Amino acid sequence: MADDPYKILGVKKEASADEIRSAYRKLAKKHHPDLNPGNKAAEETFKSISGAYDLLSDAEKRGKYDRGEIDASGAERPQAQSWRQYAEAGPGERYAYSGAGGGADFEDLFGNIFNQRPRGPAKGRDRQYSLEVGFLEAVSGATRRITLPDGGTLDVKIPPGTEEGDILRLRGKGDPGAKGGPDGDALIEIHVAPHKFYRRLGRNIHMEVPVSMKEAVLGAKITLPTPAGDVAMTIRPGTESGTEMRLRGRGVPAHGKHEAGDLHVKLNVVIGPADAALKTFLEGWEQPGFNPREGLK
């Protein structure tokens, strides 16, 4: 019999769905086979973690487990009768199995005890996996291959605009079904790695871009990297540090019912190395009536 899924994930029996999900993420990332190549112990631990999360993340399965109707592997437990039920039964009922439909014969009794009653088709068990993708892969879409605990591989298509915590369902990629039932699904939980200068808010992407003092004062045309490739952007003369500009449609690309987001660019003026000519010019430069700290009064 499998171990207690609550103990495997390190959560209390009354843990919320969010707490269970958080515990699974932490453990799955630590023991994932891709991060522990050749480590059989980590592979077995990952299998146990995935099995525990498969049971506890399903409200119906969790309820059945808590009520003792199924064990930690998901198999049904026989409904054993108590001594009191036997003692209080009538003379003709003590050797009959009392189910939802009343008494049953000896064949039903032994079929229930040994769990040998034939069942119909059943869907295979779903499997959970964790996959970390790059920021731009999540924004623009990509295809990644993951290694399964049994050594097999699975190609996962990342749709454009995928977000942190999204779960992708690959139908029929879980455990085989029973007695002609459909195969289970593979559930891939996505974790998005941070980018060194992009930040994402919804469908929009934000970034900060340094510009020189000359570019800010005189204006310039600069080349700007975007998730879809380089674009030219014009800086107007006299641009202040902190100015924000928006490039429409240059954020997360359109996909399905979602429109393309925008790229928000914040300009930061940097002085850079100051040579003697610049210092001499500034020493004699006056700006009558201008006080950059006027708003602080």
mmCIF file of all heavy atoms in Angstrom, residues 17-35:
data_model
loop_
_atom_site.group_PDB
_atom_site.id
_atom_site.type_symbol
_atom_site.label_atom_id
_atom_site.label_comp_id
_atom_site.label_asym_id
_atom_site.label_seq_id
_atom_site.Cartn_x
_atom_site.Cartn_y
_atom_site.Cartn_z
ATOM 1 N N ALA A 17 -6.266 23.609 -0.755
ATOM 2 C CA ALA A 17 -5.796 23.222 -2.093
ATOM 3 C C ALA A 17 -4.548 24.011 -2.482
ATOM 4 O O ALA A 17 -3.624 23.470 -3.097
ATOM 5 C CB ALA A 17 -6.908 23.434 -3.117
ATOM 6 N N ASP A 18 -4.508 25.303 -2.101
ATOM 7 C CA ASP A 18 -3.337 26.125 -2.413
ATOM 8 C C ASP A 18 -2.102 25.638 -1.668
ATOM 9 O O ASP A 18 -0.988 25.644 -2.214
ATOM 10 C CB ASP A 18 -3.612 27.594 -2.067
ATOM 11 C CG ASP A 18 -4.574 28.252 -3.049
ATOM 12 O OD1 ASP A 18 -4.732 27.713 -4.154
ATOM 13 O OD2 ASP A 18 -5.153 29.297 -2.699
ATOM 14 N N GLU A 19 -2.273 25.231 -0.409
ATOM 15 C CA GLU A 19 -1.139 24.731 0.377
ATOM 16 C C GLU A 19 -0.607 23.419 -0.206
ATOM 17 O O GLU A 19 0.604 23.200 -0.265
ATOM 18 C CB GLU A 19 -1.564 24.536 1.833
ATOM 19 C CG GLU A 19 -1.803 25.842 2.586
ATOM 20 C CD GLU A 19 -2.404 25.627 3.961
ATOM 21 O OE1 GLU A 19 -3.106 24.617 4.156
ATOM 22 O OE2 GLU A 19 -2.166 26.482 4.850
ATOM 23 N N ILE A 20 -1.517 22.569 -0.650
ATOM 24 C CA ILE A 20 -1.105 21.308 -1.262
ATOM 25 C C ILE A 20 -0.363 21.573 -2.572
ATOM 26 O O ILE A 20 0.683 20.974 -2.850
ATOM 27 C CB ILE A 20 -2.342 20.416 -1.500
ATOM 28 C CG1 ILE A 20 -2.894 19.925 -0.156
ATOM 29 C CG2 ILE A 20 -2.007 19.245 -2.411
ATOM 30 C CD1 ILE A 20 -4.205 19.187 -0.262
ATOM 31 N N ARG A 21 -0.894 22.487 -3.348
ATOM 32 C CA ARG A 21 -0.250 22.819 -4.630
ATOM 33 C C ARG A 21 1.131 23.417 -4.410
ATOM 34 O O ARG A 21 2.090 23.079 -5.111
ATOM 35 C CB ARG A 21 -1.138 23.802 -5.388
ATOM 36 C CG ARG A 21 -0.626 24.176 -6.768
ATOM 37 C CD ARG A 21 -1.583 25.150 -7.415
ATOM 38 N NE ARG A 21 -1.170 25.499 -8.756
ATOM 39 C CZ ARG A 21 -1.759 26.423 -9.498
ATOM 40 N NH1 ARG A 21 -2.814 27.058 -9.033
ATOM 41 N NH2 ARG A 21 -1.324 26.692 -10.713
ATOM 42 N N SER A 22 1.266 24.300 -3.421
ATOM 43 C CA SER A 22 2.551 24.932 -3.132
ATOM 44 C C SER A 22 3.576 23.902 -2.672
ATOM 45 O O SER A 22 4.744 23.930 -3.096
ATOM 46 C CB SER A 22 2.361 26.008 -2.055
ATOM 47 O OG SER A 22 3.591 26.592 -1.705
ATOM 48 N N ALA A 23 3.154 22.975 -1.815
ATOM 49 C CA ALA A 23 4.061 21.936 -1.330
ATOM 50 C C ALA A 23 4.525 21.046 -2.483
ATOM 51 O O ALA A 23 5.702 20.677 -2.576
ATOM 52 C CB ALA A 23 3.366 21.110 -0.260
ATOM 53 N N TYR A 24 3.589 20.713 -3.381
ATOM 54 C CA TYR A 24 3.949 19.873 -4.526
ATOM 55 C C TYR A 24 4.959 20.576 -5.429
ATOM 56 O O TYR A 24 5.950 19.975 -5.860
ATOM 57 C CB TYR A 24 2.693 19.520 -5.322
ATOM 58 C CG TYR A 24 3.012 18.955 -6.687
ATOM 59 C CD1 TYR A 24 3.536 17.681 -6.835
ATOM 60 C CD2 TYR A 24 2.820 19.723 -7.842
ATOM 61 C CE1 TYR A 24 3.856 17.166 -8.078
ATOM 62 C CE2 TYR A 24 3.136 19.219 -9.084
ATOM 63 C CZ TYR A 24 3.653 17.943 -9.200
ATOM 64 O OH TYR A 24 3.976 17.453 -10.432
ATOM 65 N N ARG A 25 4.725 21.855 -5.720
ATOM 66 C CA ARG A 25 5.649 22.604 -6.578
ATOM 67 C C ARG A 25 7.067 22.574 -6.022
ATOM 68 O O ARG A 25 8.040 22.333 -6.738
ATOM 69 C CB ARG A 25 5.193 24.066 -6.694
ATOM 70 C CG ARG A 25 4.026 24.309 -7.620
ATOM 71 C CD ARG A 25 3.780 25.793 -7.703
ATOM 72 N NE ARG A 25 2.674 26.135 -8.563
ATOM 73 C CZ ARG A 25 2.261 27.373 -8.768
ATOM 74 N NH1 ARG A 25 2.865 28.371 -8.157
ATOM 75 N NH2 ARG A 25 1.247 27.621 -9.575
ATOM 76 N N LYS A 26 7.176 22.825 -4.721
ATOM 77 C CA LYS A 26 8.492 22.894 -4.080
ATOM 78 C C LYS A 26 9.216 21.558 -4.160
ATOM 79 O O LYS A 26 10.399 21.478 -4.513
ATOM 80 C CB LYS A 26 8.324 23.327 -2.624
ATOM 81 C CG LYS A 26 9.633 23.503 -1.869
ATOM 82 C CD LYS A 26 9.366 23.985 -0.455
ATOM 83 C CE LYS A 26 10.668 24.149 0.318
ATOM 84 N NZ LYS A 26 10.414 24.609 1.725
ATOM 85 N N LEU A 27 8.507 20.476 -3.848
ATOM 86 C CA LEU A 27 9.122 19.154 -3.857
ATOM 87 C C LEU A 27 9.410 18.661 -5.270
ATOM 88 O O LEU A 27 10.448 18.051 -5.530
ATOM 89 C CB LEU A 27 8.209 18.163 -3.129
ATOM 90 C CG LEU A 27 8.059 18.381 -1.614
ATOM 91 C CD1 LEU A 27 6.987 17.459 -1.056
ATOM 92 C CD2 LEU A 27 9.379 18.136 -0.907
ATOM 93 N N ALA A 28 8.476 18.922 -6.195
ATOM 94 C CA ALA A 28 8.657 18.463 -7.576
ATOM 95 C C ALA A 28 9.863 19.128 -8.224
ATOM 96 O O ALA A 28 10.620 18.491 -8.958
ATOM 97 C CB ALA A 28 7.392 18.746 -8.391
ATOM 98 N N LYS A 29 10.046 20.404 -7.924
ATOM 99 C CA LYS A 29 11.189 21.122 -8.505
ATOM 100 C C LYS A 29 12.500 20.576 -7.945
ATOM 101 O O LYS A 29 13.510 20.487 -8.644
ATOM 102 C CB LYS A 29 11.057 22.613 -8.197
ATOM 103 C CG LYS A 29 12.029 23.482 -8.988
ATOM 104 C CD LYS A 29 11.678 24.941 -8.856
ATOM 105 C CE LYS A 29 12.567 25.800 -9.741
ATOM 106 N NZ LYS A 29 12.228 27.240 -9.638
ATOM 107 N N LYS A 30 12.495 20.158 -6.681
ATOM 108 C CA LYS A 30 13.708 19.644 -6.037
ATOM 109 C C LYS A 30 14.077 18.255 -6.536
ATOM 110 O O LYS A 30 15.259 17.942 -6.730
ATOM 111 C CB LYS A 30 13.506 19.619 -4.515
ATOM 112 C CG LYS A 30 14.691 19.069 -3.749
ATOM 113 C CD LYS A 30 14.418 19.079 -2.254
ATOM 114 C CE LYS A 30 15.588 18.488 -1.468
ATOM 115 N NZ LYS A 30 15.312 18.456 -0.019
ATOM 116 N N HIS A 31 13.079 17.395 -6.761
ATOM 117 C CA HIS A 31 13.350 15.992 -7.079
ATOM 118 C C HIS A 31 13.105 15.630 -8.535
ATOM 119 O O HIS A 31 13.138 14.443 -8.871
ATOM 120 C CB HIS A 31 12.477 15.089 -6.192
ATOM 121 C CG HIS A 31 12.758 15.235 -4.729
ATOM 122 N ND1 HIS A 31 13.870 14.705 -4.122
ATOM 123 C CD2 HIS A 31 12.074 15.888 -3.748
ATOM 124 C CE1 HIS A 31 13.859 14.991 -2.832
ATOM 125 N NE2 HIS A 31 12.782 15.708 -2.573
ATOM 126 N N HIS A 32 12.819 16.598 -9.410
ATOM 127 C CA HIS A 32 12.510 16.272 -10.803
ATOM 128 C C HIS A 32 13.695 15.557 -11.457
ATOM 129 O O HIS A 32 14.856 15.949 -11.273
ATOM 130 C CB HIS A 32 12.182 17.554 -11.588
ATOM 131 C CG HIS A 32 11.488 17.272 -12.883
ATOM 132 N ND1 HIS A 32 12.156 16.837 -14.003
ATOM 133 C CD2 HIS A 32 10.178 17.349 -13.234
ATOM 134 C CE1 HIS A 32 11.305 16.663 -14.992
ATOM 135 N NE2 HIS A 32 10.107 16.953 -14.559
ATOM 136 N N PRO A 33 13.443 14.472 -12.228
ATOM 137 C CA PRO A 33 14.529 13.722 -12.868
ATOM 138 C C PRO A 33 15.433 14.573 -13.753
ATOM 139 O O PRO A 33 16.627 14.293 -13.867
ATOM 140 C CB PRO A 33 13.774 12.671 -13.695
ATOM 141 C CG PRO A 33 12.483 12.477 -12.965
ATOM 142 C CD PRO A 33 12.126 13.840 -12.432
ATOM 143 N N ASP A 34 14.878 15.610 -14.399
ATOM 144 C CA ASP A 34 15.712 16.462 -15.249
ATOM 145 C C ASP A 34 16.778 17.197 -14.452
ATOM 146 O O ASP A 34 17.838 17.550 -14.973
ATOM 147 C CB ASP A 34 14.837 17.489 -15.982
ATOM 148 C CG ASP A 34 14.063 16.854 -17.122
ATOM 149 O OD1 ASP A 34 14.367 15.691 -17.460
ATOM 150 O OD2 ASP A 34 13.161 17.507 -17.667
ATOM 151 N N LEU A 35 16.491 17.454 -13.174
ATOM 152 C CA LEU A 35 17.443 18.156 -12.319
ATOM 153 C C LEU A 35 18.318 17.188 -11.523
ATOM 154 O O LEU A 35 19.247 17.622 -10.838
ATOM 155 C CB LEU A 35 16.691 19.084 -11.350
ATOM 156 C CG LEU A 35 15.797 20.144 -11.999
ATOM 157 C CD1 LEU A 35 15.087 20.968 -10.929
ATOM 158 C CD2 LEU A 35 16.613 21.050 -12.903
#
